[in-house]
Structure formats: structure tokens, C-alpha cells
Amino acid sequence: SDMMKKRKIPTYNDVLWQPFLAKNMSPPIPRTKLNLFQGFALEDVPSNSIDFEKTQIYDLLKRLCGNKPNYLKYLLQFISCKLQKPYVKHPIGLTFVNSREGAGKGSFATFLKKLFACGENTLVSYNSLTSFANAFNGIQARSLWIVLEEVTAKRGGLREYAGLLKDKISSTTLLCEVKNKERVQVPWYASILIFSNEFNVLSVSKNDRRLVCFKSDSSKANDKDYFVAIHKELSDLRHMRAAYDYFLKYDTSEFNYREIPQSDIKDSLV
């Protein structure tokens, strides 16, 4: 210990995982704690001149927002805030319901997984609500996105999990439980995405302030050529770096996550 101090080798008595942008740096971390976050993968990819707003990926984002400018702006600002300050969690769940199968929700999840890539569990996807509710939740500890896929109205959909969902959307800590280890509370940064091809999958209170409900344009659903072009961009580091730069520079100064755009589909769920 004395030798390490003489050589000025940092020593720690605990670890944490707190995401941050090297550019914006991290909020203060106690000297005795080692941050295990290693950065976003796309930070190391050179910038380029691709205009993200002219890409197929951007077109998909517009369609997922039903081509409504106010919804698109909300989604772009939400993603930008999360990338610019990933250690800040907004208590909002993004919900894409009542769209046709093959409308691009899975491609959107792939986009987020690649855009925020920073470890093996950047985005954790569940197609079973019982798995999502399972007490052994260690896989969620270092996630930035949790996706509930193929949520169905059968057996009440998410209604029986309303309390858990509300807690997951808002909570900034996770009581992390891994098999054969003691439970430990850790800071938690994951945002919740809900995907469903059905309509009546969740209960929404009249004064709800947590859910943003998007009604998507499904006119390109199952259009092979359209999605081949999107996945070609998703697999191209230059396009992904262009997306990364776009969201890094996007102006979020006036973003108020509580100003949720009015939604007919959300009003119908009340």
C-alpha cells in the first residue's frame, strides 16, 4: 500500500458502472471507486460527411413516429439526451403499439443497440413478461435500454405488471440479484421501450406522465427492399458514426421530457 502510494498508483476499495461521454466527462465519482464503464464503441470511429437526415435509418424513425413532426422531435431529443448525458435517466417509457408486424420496431431496437454499444448488455430484450419480472435481474444492471417485445393483450398484457412497470420506468437504482450472490443496490440508467402489434396492452391513467405512445406508419411493413437498405446502413460503421455525431450535436436545450405530445392512441387507452 505504501509502495503504491509512493508510485502514485491509484487504489480502489469498490467499483461502479456509470456511463459517460469522454467529451462531456462524468459527474464526480469518489476516488475510492473504480468506474468500469469503458466508453461507447462509436467514439473510436472517425467522423464523416454522411447526412444522417438523408439516411434510411432516419426515414424509419420518421415512420415509427407516424410522420408527425412533434413526435419525431420528442424521440430525437430523448435519444440525444440519453447519449449526451447517459448517466441521467428520464422517467419516461417509449411505447410503440398497434402497428403492423414488420413495421420496423425490431430494426429500431437494433439501431439503439449499435448506437449506444458499450458492453454485451447495452440493450436487453424480453419477449416474455415473466422473464422481465424475474428476481434474477443481473443482466439489467449495465443496460441502457430494456425492450419489452411482442407484448400481447392476452392475459391482460402489461396490466398485471403495471406497478412493476411504473417502478422500472422511474427507478434510478436497481436491487441487483445474481444467483448465489448477495443482493446489492446499484445505480441504474436503463430506459424502457414497449413494442406491441396489438392495441389494448397496457393500462394508462388519465393523468399519466410516464408513457409516450407512438402510432407508427406501417406502410412499409415487410417491405424487403426497404429493410435490406436499412440493415445495410446499420451494419456500416460510417452510417452509424454519422448517427452518433447527429445525436451528439442535436440541440436538447429546450427539451422538457414532461411535455409529452398529445396522442389519440394514448387517450383511447385511458
Side-chain angles (χ1 to χ4, degrees), residues 62-224:
K62 286 197 296 186
R63 290 177 185 279
L64 286 171
C65 294
N67 298 304
K68 292 184 177 177
N70 58 335
Y71 267 89
L72 178 63
K73 187 177 181 183
Y74 188 97
L75 181 63
L76 296 176
Q77 288 184 320
F78 189 92
I79 295 171
S80 298
C81 279
K82 193 160 185 71
L83 187 62
Q84 292 169 19
K85 291 186 177 177
Y87 48 85
V88 175
K89 174 177 175 174
H90 293 316
I92 293 290
L94 304 179
T95 308
F96 298 82
V97 298
N98 203 31
S99 61
R100 276 178 58 198
E101 196 172 335
K105 299 183 293 294
S107 299
F108 176 48
T110 301
F111 170 65
L112 292 177
K113 186 174 186 176
K114 289 173 177 279
L115 182 67
F116 286 83
C118 59
E120 60 182 323
N121 297 323
T122 298
L123 181 144
V124 178
S125 180
Y126 293 97
N127 52 22
S128 155
L129 293 175
T130 49
S131 298
F132 169 60
N134 194 303
F136 295 113
N137 56 9
I139 193 173
Q140 298 179 19
R142 296 184 187 179
S143 62
L144 289 174
W145 300 93
I146 301 283
V147 180
L148 306 182
E149 296 197 66
E150 312 295 340
V151 177
T152 174
K154 291 172 186 171
R155 299 180 187 169
L158 272 166
R159 293 168 189 273
E160 67 173 295
Y161 296 96
L164 174 69
L165 184 64
K166 194 182 287 187
D167 178 61
K168 291 277 193 181
I169 287 171
S170 303
S171 184
T172 54
T173 58
L174 179 73
L175 191 58
C176 183
E177 189 164 346
V178 180
K179 280 186 179 178
N180 304 318
K181 288 189 178 181
E182 282 188 32
R183 290 194 299 175
V184 57
Q185 190 158 290
V186 297
W188 198 47
Y189 309 98
S191 297
I192 307 290
L193 289 168
I194 300 166
F195 293 162
S196 178
N197 300 323
E198 299 176 31
F199 170 62
N200 203 16
V201 292
L202 22 108
S203 53
V204 178
S205 64
K206 192 173 183 182
N207 300 312
D208 173 77
R209 295 174 299 138
R210 290 184 180 86
L211 294 173
V212 183
C213 293
F214 298 86
K215 185 175 183 184
S216 304
D217 166 9
S218 299
S219 60
K220 291 283 187 182
N222 301 308
D223 183 324
K224 185 182 174 184

Side-chain angles (χ1 to χ4, degrees), residues 1 10 17 36 38 42 46 53 61 78 96 100 125 187 202:
S1 175
W17 187 84
L36 297 177
Q38 295 182 321
L42 286 170
E53 290 191 357
L61 298 182
F78 189 92
F96 298 82
R100 276 178 58 198
S125 180
L202 22 108

